[in-house]
Amino acid sequence: MNGRLAFIIVIGTLIESISANCFQLQGTQACKGFEDAYVSPNSAYKDLNSFDAFVQSRDDLSSSYISDFKSSFGCPNYNGQGQRNHRSIFCALLIQSSSSQCQQSSTPLCLDTCRQATASLVALFNNRAACDVTYGDDSKSQYEHMRR
């Protein structure tokens, strides 16, 4: 066997073993619209059922997400309301983070979906009733940059 063929066999075996650890989101209840995607197991999820449970636990209306959001972003009165497309963005990020391990290219979200998500966060951060800290110019300029 020549060196080139041996290299191809080793690489093929390596890719197959990396991809074999990934699981497809076929039948997902949490990430509808992403059923053709694959994700790599990690400490938060090992299979489709635990993946769905993880995503649902990070839903914008879950108590753990609300608590984390309040403490992470200085929004002590955040109640889970006001974010647009939160789950779509979260699912896409999880899939994107597995794209190299699962030998797949991820399908990007629509630009309008991303813009709506960003605009809703900017509005939320600028809402003094929800957040003590106003991200103001920073978040607005980031949003304006995305609109271009």
Side-chain angles (χ1 to χ4, degrees):
M1 176 179 337
N2 71 29
R4 185 180 294 166
L5 181 58
F7 178 75
I8 291 171
I9 290 171
V10 168
I11 294 298
T13 304
L14 180 61
I15 289 173
E16 186 176 309
S17 69
I18 291 171
S19 297
N21 292 328
C22 298
F23 59 90
Q24 188 174 13
L25 297 182
Q26 186 68 42
T28 180
Q29 297 301 305
C31 291
K32 299 285 187 181
F34 294 95
E35 290 90 352
D36 292 335
Y38 288 80
V39 293
S40 178
N42 61 39
S43 61
Y45 46 84
K46 307 270 184 245
D47 56 23
L48 183 60
N49 289 333
S50 59
F51 175 84
D52 277 353
F54 175 72
V55 171
Q56 290 166 347
S57 76
R58 305 309 299 158
D59 190 70
D60 52 347
L61 294 177
S62 76
S63 59
S64 62
Y65 178 78
I66 291 171
S67 176
D68 288 347
F69 191 94
K70 286 178 176 184
S71 63
S72 297
F73 297 110
C75 297
N77 298 318
Y78 176 68
N79 63 5
Q81 302 293 318
Q83 289 190 52
R84 301 265 328 256
N85 303 312
H86 169 77
R87 189 175 286 195
S88 295
I89 298 289
F90 189 55
C91 290
L93 287 172
L94 294 174
I95 293 163
Q96 176 63 36
S97 70
S98 294
S99 63
S100 63
Q101 298 98 324
C102 298
Q103 304 298 313
Q104 70 180 345
S105 58
S106 59
T107 304
L109 290 172
C110 295
L111 183 59
D112 284 344
T113 299
C114 296
R115 283 182 176 160
Q116 290 170 2
T118 302
S120 69
L121 285 172
V122 168
L124 181 62
F125 291 143
N126 286 325
N127 179 353
R128 290 254 186 221
C131 298
D132 285 343
V133 178
T134 301
Y135 292 90
D137 292 338
D138 244 6
S139 58
K140 285 179 186 173
S141 65
Q142 289 172 3
Y143 174 68
E144 289 302 319
H145 176 73
M146 287 181 64
R147 291 183 57 194
R148 293 183 198 147

